Amino acid sequence: MLPDVGAALPELVVPITPTRIVAGAIASRDYQDVHHDVPAARAKGSPDIFMNILTTNGYVGRYVTDWAGPQARIVKIAIRLGVPNYPGDTMTLTGSVIRSEEDGTVEVAVRGANGLGDHVTGTVMLKGLGQ
Amino acid sequence: METDPLYEKVSAHLADPPSDPVPAWDPVNQPMIRHWCDAMGDELPIYTDAEAARAAGHPDVVAPPASLQAWTMPGLRTRGFQDGTTRAQAELVDAGYAAVVATNCEQTYHRYLTLGDHLYAVSKLESVSTRKQTALGEGYFLTSVTEYRDQHGELVGEMSFRTLWFKPKERA
């Protein structure tokens, strides 16, 4: 079954902790100090460490395939970062189908919001749905 | 129009040739995939279970598409790309635009990566913004484009990546 345009994805709540930020940074081999070193982050004008974009990308991909399932193929992820994910905050991912084609091409708009505003907005394109 | 010597200097790197190829340390492998999935809380079975991956039409366990960039990231002691982007970054840092945030990432996946694929990446500076006033401070946006190929030279993915290099605002 192809999803209808406008269909909502179940939301995913991600608690933002220092451990989770560092785990994502290491798994994506991103050693920029602002993702693990609080004094270094402060020296660069940030109140705390913050999540790296590769981890955000990982969560966006996971969020969409949690819903789409193992038959789906992600063909494109395009994201824009807004406010940072700082420790102590919570990111809530929501999404909706914005395109659904007969050939199984589906596009989902994704938003990850935290206490400061939109951390991430973007789109994920999938193939192979409804087969 | 006001001239900006720093912009002129940095944007001259748009003419730089692409980087030398940067090889992934290792072929796509289960431990790195598992580490990624653990950190992201991703439990899709095709990333860790060969049978589930085959049932979904893949030849073997596959890597999460969003992990594309991670395979060729530099380590603590090894350098990554040396290209117009890194030279432009160095000049911005020297001029005091030393803080960086990533602002946009667009990745296209031509196929899923499977165990044994050995990637290499080639990167190039694609655009340089003029000096901008942003919520974080004054800075410049750099956009690089990266092509990812496997050991046979097949293009498996592409990325456009934008970063803002800025002078942090004085905190009140």
Short mmCIF file of all heavy atoms in Angstrom, two decimals, chain A residues 1-54:
data_model
loop_
_atom_site.label_atom_id
_atom_site.label_comp_id
_atom_site.label_asym_id
_atom_site.label_seq_id
_atom_site.Cartn_x
_atom_site.Cartn_y
_atom_site.Cartn_z
N MET A 1 0.84 -1.21 0.00
CA MET A 1 0.00 0.00 0.00
C MET A 1 0.87 1.25 0.00
O MET A 1 1.73 1.42 0.86
CB MET A 1 -0.88 0.02 1.26
CG MET A 1 -2.13 -0.83 1.15
SD MET A 1 -3.47 0.06 0.34
CE MET A 1 -3.93 1.28 1.58
N LEU A 2 0.61 2.12 -0.96
CA LEU A 2 1.33 3.39 -0.97
C LEU A 2 0.67 4.34 0.03
O LEU A 2 -0.55 4.38 0.14
CB LEU A 2 1.24 4.01 -2.37
CG LEU A 2 2.27 3.51 -3.38
CD1 LEU A 2 1.89 3.97 -4.78
CD2 LEU A 2 3.66 4.01 -3.02
N PRO A 3 1.46 5.10 0.76
CA PRO A 3 0.87 6.04 1.72
C PRO A 3 0.21 7.20 0.97
O PRO A 3 0.60 7.54 -0.13
CB PRO A 3 2.07 6.52 2.53
CG PRO A 3 3.24 6.32 1.64
CD PRO A 3 2.93 5.16 0.74
N ASP A 4 -0.82 7.76 1.60
CA ASP A 4 -1.49 8.93 1.03
C ASP A 4 -0.68 10.19 1.33
O ASP A 4 -0.06 10.30 2.39
CB ASP A 4 -2.89 9.11 1.66
CG ASP A 4 -3.82 7.97 1.27
OD1 ASP A 4 -3.66 7.43 0.15
OD2 ASP A 4 -4.69 7.62 2.09
N VAL A 5 -0.75 11.12 0.41
CA VAL A 5 -0.15 12.44 0.68
C VAL A 5 -0.89 13.04 1.88
O VAL A 5 -2.11 12.96 1.97
CB VAL A 5 -0.27 13.35 -0.57
CG1 VAL A 5 0.13 14.78 -0.23
CG2 VAL A 5 0.60 12.80 -1.70
N GLY A 6 -0.12 13.56 2.80
CA GLY A 6 -0.71 14.13 4.02
C GLY A 6 -0.66 13.19 5.20
O GLY A 6 -0.85 13.62 6.34
N ALA A 7 -0.41 11.89 4.94
CA ALA A 7 -0.33 10.92 6.05
C ALA A 7 0.80 11.32 6.98
O ALA A 7 1.89 11.70 6.55
CB ALA A 7 -0.10 9.52 5.49
N ALA A 8 0.54 11.22 8.29
CA ALA A 8 1.54 11.61 9.28
C ALA A 8 2.34 10.39 9.74
O ALA A 8 1.79 9.29 9.87
CB ALA A 8 0.86 12.27 10.47
N LEU A 9 3.61 10.58 9.99
CA LEU A 9 4.44 9.53 10.58
C LEU A 9 4.30 9.61 12.10
O LEU A 9 4.11 10.70 12.63
CB LEU A 9 5.91 9.74 10.22
CG LEU A 9 6.39 9.25 8.85
CD1 LEU A 9 5.69 10.00 7.72
CD2 LEU A 9 7.90 9.39 8.72
N PRO A 10 4.40 8.47 12.79
CA PRO A 10 4.38 8.54 14.25
C PRO A 10 5.56 9.37 14.77
O PRO A 10 6.65 9.30 14.19
CB PRO A 10 4.51 7.09 14.71
CG PRO A 10 4.71 6.27 13.50
CD PRO A 10 4.62 7.12 12.28
N GLU A 11 5.33 10.14 15.82
CA GLU A 11 6.43 10.99 16.28
C GLU A 11 7.46 10.17 17.07
O GLU A 11 7.15 9.12 17.61
CB GLU A 11 5.92 12.19 17.07
CG GLU A 11 5.40 11.90 18.45
CD GLU A 11 5.06 13.19 19.22
OE1 GLU A 11 4.61 14.18 18.62
OE2 GLU A 11 5.26 13.18 20.44
N LEU A 12 8.68 10.67 17.05
CA LEU A 12 9.77 10.03 17.79
C LEU A 12 10.39 11.08 18.70
O LEU A 12 10.79 12.15 18.24
CB LEU A 12 10.83 9.48 16.83
CG LEU A 12 12.11 8.91 17.47
CD1 LEU A 12 11.80 7.62 18.23
CD2 LEU A 12 13.17 8.63 16.40
N VAL A 13 10.46 10.76 19.99
CA VAL A 13 11.02 11.70 20.96
C VAL A 13 12.44 11.24 21.31
O VAL A 13 12.63 10.10 21.75
CB VAL A 13 10.14 11.77 22.23
CG1 VAL A 13 10.77 12.68 23.28
CG2 VAL A 13 8.74 12.27 21.86
N VAL A 14 13.40 12.11 21.10
CA VAL A 14 14.80 11.77 21.35
C VAL A 14 15.32 12.64 22.49
O VAL A 14 15.47 13.86 22.33
CB VAL A 14 15.66 12.02 20.09
CG1 VAL A 14 17.12 11.65 20.34
CG2 VAL A 14 15.12 11.24 18.89
N PRO A 15 15.59 12.06 23.68
CA PRO A 15 16.20 12.85 24.75
C PRO A 15 17.63 13.20 24.36
O PRO A 15 18.38 12.33 23.91
CB PRO A 15 16.18 11.91 25.96
CG PRO A 15 15.39 10.70 25.53
CD PRO A 15 15.42 10.65 24.05
N ILE A 16 18.00 14.47 24.49
CA ILE A 16 19.35 14.88 24.11
C ILE A 16 20.20 14.89 25.38
O ILE A 16 19.98 15.71 26.28
CB ILE A 16 19.35 16.28 23.46
CG1 ILE A 16 18.31 16.35 22.32
CG2 ILE A 16 20.74 16.63 22.95
CD1 ILE A 16 18.54 15.40 21.19
N THR A 17 21.15 13.98 25.46
CA THR A 17 22.05 13.89 26.61
C THR A 17 23.49 14.04 26.11
O THR A 17 23.76 13.79 24.93
CB THR A 17 21.92 12.53 27.31
OG1 THR A 17 22.34 11.51 26.40
CG2 THR A 17 20.49 12.25 27.74
N PRO A 18 24.43 14.41 27.00
CA PRO A 18 25.84 14.45 26.57
C PRO A 18 26.29 13.10 26.02
O PRO A 18 27.00 13.05 25.00
CB PRO A 18 26.59 14.80 27.87
CG PRO A 18 25.58 15.47 28.74
CD PRO A 18 24.25 14.85 28.40
N THR A 19 25.86 12.02 26.65
CA THR A 19 26.27 10.69 26.21
C THR A 19 25.81 10.42 24.78
O THR A 19 26.57 9.91 23.94
CB THR A 19 25.69 9.62 27.16
OG1 THR A 19 26.08 9.94 28.49
CG2 THR A 19 26.18 8.23 26.80
N ARG A 20 24.57 10.77 24.48
CA ARG A 20 24.02 10.52 23.16
C ARG A 20 24.73 11.38 22.10
O ARG A 20 25.00 10.93 20.98
CB ARG A 20 22.52 10.84 23.18
CG ARG A 20 21.71 10.04 22.22
CD ARG A 20 20.25 10.43 22.38
NE ARG A 20 19.56 9.56 23.32
CZ ARG A 20 18.70 8.60 22.94
NH1 ARG A 20 18.49 8.37 21.66
NH2 ARG A 20 18.08 7.88 23.83
N ILE A 21 25.05 12.62 22.46
CA ILE A 21 25.76 13.50 21.52
C ILE A 21 27.15 12.93 21.22
O ILE A 21 27.57 12.85 20.07
CB ILE A 21 25.87 14.93 22.12
CG1 ILE A 21 24.49 15.58 22.15
CG2 ILE A 21 26.86 15.78 21.32
CD1 ILE A 21 24.42 16.86 22.97
N VAL A 22 27.84 12.50 22.27
CA VAL A 22 29.20 11.97 22.10
C VAL A 22 29.16 10.62 21.36
O VAL A 22 29.99 10.35 20.49
CB VAL A 22 29.92 11.86 23.46
CG1 VAL A 22 31.24 11.11 23.33
CG2 VAL A 22 30.15 13.25 24.05
N ALA A 23 28.17 9.79 21.69
CA ALA A 23 28.03 8.50 21.01
C ALA A 23 27.86 8.70 19.51
O ALA A 23 28.50 8.01 18.69
CB ALA A 23 26.86 7.71 21.58
N GLY A 24 27.03 9.66 19.13
CA GLY A 24 26.81 9.93 17.71
C GLY A 24 28.06 10.50 17.04
O GLY A 24 28.40 10.14 15.92
N ALA A 25 28.75 11.39 17.75
CA ALA A 25 29.96 11.99 17.19
C ALA A 25 31.02 10.93 16.93
O ALA A 25 31.67 10.91 15.88
CB ALA A 25 30.50 13.08 18.12
N ILE A 26 31.18 10.00 17.87
CA ILE A 26 32.20 8.96 17.70
C ILE A 26 31.79 7.96 16.62
O ILE A 26 32.60 7.57 15.79
CB ILE A 26 32.48 8.25 19.04
CG1 ILE A 26 33.08 9.25 20.04
CG2 ILE A 26 33.46 7.08 18.84
CD1 ILE A 26 33.25 8.68 21.43
N ALA A 27 30.52 7.58 16.61
CA ALA A 27 30.06 6.63 15.59
C ALA A 27 30.21 7.20 14.19
O ALA A 27 30.38 6.46 13.22
CB ALA A 27 28.61 6.24 15.85
N SER A 28 30.16 8.53 14.07
CA SER A 28 30.34 9.15 12.76
C SER A 28 31.77 9.70 12.60
O SER A 28 32.06 10.38 11.63
CB SER A 28 29.31 10.27 12.56
OG SER A 28 29.37 11.24 13.59
N ARG A 29 32.64 9.36 13.52
CA ARG A 29 34.06 9.73 13.53
C ARG A 29 34.24 11.24 13.34
O ARG A 29 35.06 11.71 12.54
CB ARG A 29 34.83 8.96 12.46
CG ARG A 29 36.28 8.75 12.89
CD ARG A 29 37.16 8.19 11.80
NE ARG A 29 36.81 6.87 11.38
CZ ARG A 29 36.94 6.39 10.14
NH1 ARG A 29 37.42 7.16 9.19
NH2 ARG A 29 36.60 5.17 9.86
N ASP A 30 33.47 12.01 14.10
CA ASP A 30 33.54 13.46 14.03
C ASP A 30 34.16 13.98 15.33
O ASP A 30 33.51 14.01 16.36
CB ASP A 30 32.13 14.02 13.83
CG ASP A 30 32.11 15.53 13.65
OD1 ASP A 30 33.12 16.19 13.95
OD2 ASP A 30 31.08 16.05 13.20
N TYR A 31 35.44 14.35 15.25
CA TYR A 31 36.17 14.77 16.45
C TYR A 31 36.24 16.28 16.63
O TYR A 31 37.08 16.78 17.37
CB TYR A 31 37.59 14.18 16.42
CG TYR A 31 37.60 12.67 16.46
CD1 TYR A 31 38.12 11.93 15.41
CD2 TYR A 31 37.07 11.98 17.56
CE1 TYR A 31 38.13 10.54 15.45
CE2 TYR A 31 37.07 10.60 17.60
CZ TYR A 31 37.60 9.89 16.54
OH TYR A 31 37.60 8.52 16.58
N GLN A 32 35.36 17.03 15.96
CA GLN A 32 35.28 18.47 16.23
C GLN A 32 35.01 18.64 17.73
O GLN A 32 34.08 18.03 18.27
CB GLN A 32 34.12 19.09 15.44
CG GLN A 32 34.34 19.16 13.96
CD GLN A 32 35.18 20.36 13.53
OE1 GLN A 32 35.39 21.29 14.31
NE2 GLN A 32 35.69 20.32 12.31
N ASP A 33 35.83 19.50 18.38
CA ASP A 33 35.75 19.59 19.85
C ASP A 33 34.38 20.04 20.37
O ASP A 33 33.98 19.66 21.47
CB ASP A 33 36.89 20.46 20.40
CG ASP A 33 36.97 21.84 19.77
OD1 ASP A 33 35.98 22.26 19.13
OD2 ASP A 33 38.02 22.49 19.92
N VAL A 34 33.66 20.82 19.59
CA VAL A 34 32.36 21.32 20.05
C VAL A 34 31.32 20.21 20.27
O VAL A 34 30.27 20.45 20.85
CB VAL A 34 31.76 22.36 19.07
CG1 VAL A 34 32.59 23.63 19.09
CG2 VAL A 34 31.66 21.79 17.66
N HIS A 35 31.65 19.00 19.84
CA HIS A 35 30.71 17.88 20.02
C HIS A 35 31.06 17.01 21.23
O HIS A 35 30.39 16.01 21.48
CB HIS A 35 30.63 17.03 18.75
CG HIS A 35 30.30 17.82 17.54
ND1 HIS A 35 29.22 18.68 17.50
CD2 HIS A 35 30.89 17.92 16.32
CE1 HIS A 35 29.18 19.26 16.32
NE2 HIS A 35 30.18 18.83 15.59
N HIS A 36 32.16 17.38 21.97
CA HIS A 36 32.47 16.57 23.16
C HIS A 36 33.14 17.36 24.29
O HIS A 36 33.27 16.84 25.39
CB HIS A 36 33.35 15.36 22.79
CG HIS A 36 34.69 15.75 22.24
ND1 HIS A 36 34.94 15.81 20.90
CD2 HIS A 36 35.84 16.11 22.85
CE1 HIS A 36 36.19 16.20 20.70
NE2 HIS A 36 36.76 16.40 21.87
N ASP A 37 33.63 18.57 24.03
CA ASP A 37 34.48 19.29 24.97
C ASP A 37 33.78 20.59 25.38
O ASP A 37 33.73 21.55 24.60
CB ASP A 37 35.83 19.56 24.26
CG ASP A 37 36.85 20.25 25.15
OD1 ASP A 37 36.46 20.93 26.12
OD2 ASP A 37 38.04 20.14 24.83
N VAL A 38 33.23 20.62 26.60
CA VAL A 38 32.41 21.77 27.02
C VAL A 38 33.21 23.08 27.03
O VAL A 38 32.76 24.07 26.44
CB VAL A 38 31.75 21.51 28.40
CG1 VAL A 38 30.94 22.72 28.84
CG2 VAL A 38 30.86 20.28 28.34
N PRO A 39 34.42 23.14 27.66
CA PRO A 39 35.16 24.41 27.63
C PRO A 39 35.47 24.88 26.21
O PRO A 39 35.40 26.08 25.91
CB PRO A 39 36.45 24.09 28.41
CG PRO A 39 36.07 22.94 29.30
CD PRO A 39 35.08 22.14 28.51
N ALA A 40 35.81 23.94 25.34
CA ALA A 40 36.11 24.32 23.94
C ALA A 40 34.86 24.86 23.25
O ALA A 40 34.93 25.83 22.49
CB ALA A 40 36.66 23.12 23.17
N ALA A 41 33.71 24.24 23.53
CA ALA A 41 32.46 24.72 22.94
C ALA A 41 32.16 26.14 23.44
O ALA A 41 31.76 27.01 22.66
CB ALA A 41 31.31 23.77 23.28
N ARG A 42 32.40 26.37 24.75
CA ARG A 42 32.13 27.71 25.33
C ARG A 42 33.06 28.76 24.73
O ARG A 42 32.65 29.88 24.47
CB ARG A 42 32.28 27.66 26.85
CG ARG A 42 31.13 26.87 27.48
CD ARG A 42 31.01 27.10 28.97
NE ARG A 42 29.83 26.36 29.44
CZ ARG A 42 29.79 25.60 30.53
NH1 ARG A 42 30.86 25.50 31.30
NH2 ARG A 42 28.69 24.96 30.85
N ALA A 43 34.32 28.36 24.52
CA ALA A 43 35.28 29.32 23.94
C ALA A 43 34.86 29.73 22.54
O ALA A 43 35.26 30.79 22.05
CB ALA A 43 36.68 28.70 23.90
N LYS A 44 34.05 28.91 21.89
CA LYS A 44 33.57 29.25 20.54
C LYS A 44 32.16 29.83 20.57
O LYS A 44 31.46 29.83 19.56
CB LYS A 44 33.65 28.02 19.64
CG LYS A 44 35.11 27.68 19.32
CD LYS A 44 35.27 26.42 18.51
CE LYS A 44 36.76 26.20 18.22
NZ LYS A 44 37.05 24.85 17.75
N GLY A 45 31.74 30.29 21.75
CA GLY A 45 30.48 31.04 21.82
C GLY A 45 29.24 30.19 22.03
O GLY A 45 28.12 30.70 21.96
N SER A 46 29.44 28.89 22.29
CA SER A 46 28.29 28.00 22.47
C SER A 46 28.14 27.70 23.97
O SER A 46 29.14 27.55 24.67
CB SER A 46 28.58 26.71 21.69
OG SER A 46 27.50 25.82 21.77
N PRO A 47 26.91 27.64 24.51
CA PRO A 47 26.77 27.41 25.96
C PRO A 47 27.15 26.00 26.39
O PRO A 47 27.40 25.76 27.56
CB PRO A 47 25.27 27.66 26.21
CG PRO A 47 24.61 27.48 24.89
CD PRO A 47 25.62 27.86 23.85
N ASP A 48 27.19 25.06 25.46
CA ASP A 48 27.45 23.66 25.81
C ASP A 48 27.87 22.93 24.52
O ASP A 48 27.88 23.53 23.44
CB ASP A 48 26.16 23.04 26.39
CG ASP A 48 26.43 21.85 27.32
OD1 ASP A 48 27.48 21.18 27.15
OD2 ASP A 48 25.60 21.59 28.19
N ILE A 49 28.21 21.64 24.66
CA ILE A 49 28.42 20.84 23.44
C ILE A 49 27.08 20.70 22.72
O ILE A 49 26.02 20.92 23.30
CB ILE A 49 29.01 19.44 23.77
CG1 ILE A 49 28.05 18.61 24.63
CG2 ILE A 49 30.38 19.58 24.41
CD1 ILE A 49 28.40 17.13 24.71
N PHE A 50 27.15 20.33 21.43
CA PHE A 50 25.89 20.16 20.68
C PHE A 50 26.05 19.03 19.66
O PHE A 50 27.15 18.68 19.27
CB PHE A 50 25.46 21.47 20.01
CG PHE A 50 26.49 22.11 19.12
CD1 PHE A 50 26.54 21.82 17.76
CD2 PHE A 50 27.42 23.01 19.63
CE1 PHE A 50 27.48 22.41 16.94
CE2 PHE A 50 28.38 23.61 18.81
CZ PHE A 50 28.40 23.31 17.47
N MET A 51 24.91 18.47 19.25
CA MET A 51 24.89 17.33 18.34
C MET A 51 25.48 17.70 16.98
O MET A 51 25.23 18.80 16.48
CB MET A 51 23.44 16.84 18.18
CG MET A 51 23.29 15.58 17.34
SD MET A 51 21.56 15.01 17.25
CE MET A 51 21.40 14.19 18.84
N ASN A 52 26.26 16.78 16.39
CA ASN A 52 26.82 17.03 15.05
C ASN A 52 25.81 16.68 13.97
O ASN A 52 24.88 15.90 14.19
CB ASN A 52 28.15 16.28 14.86
CG ASN A 52 27.97 14.77 14.80
OD1 ASN A 52 27.05 14.21 15.37
ND2 ASN A 52 28.86 14.11 14.08
N ILE A 53 26.04 17.24 12.79
CA ILE A 53 25.05 17.10 11.71
C ILE A 53 24.97 15.65 11.23
O ILE A 53 23.92 15.19 10.80
CB ILE A 53 25.35 18.09 10.55
CG1 ILE A 53 24.14 18.19 9.58
CG2 ILE A 53 26.61 17.71 9.81
CD1 ILE A 53 24.23 19.35 8.61
N LEU A 54 26.06 14.89 11.32
CA LEU A 54 26.00 13.50 10.87
C LEU A 54 25.04 12.68 11.74
O LEU A 54 24.35 11.78 11.25
CB LEU A 54 27.39 12.85 10.87
CG LEU A 54 28.36 13.31 9.78
CD1 LEU A 54 29.05 14.58 10.16
CD2 LEU A 54 29.36 12.22 9.44
#
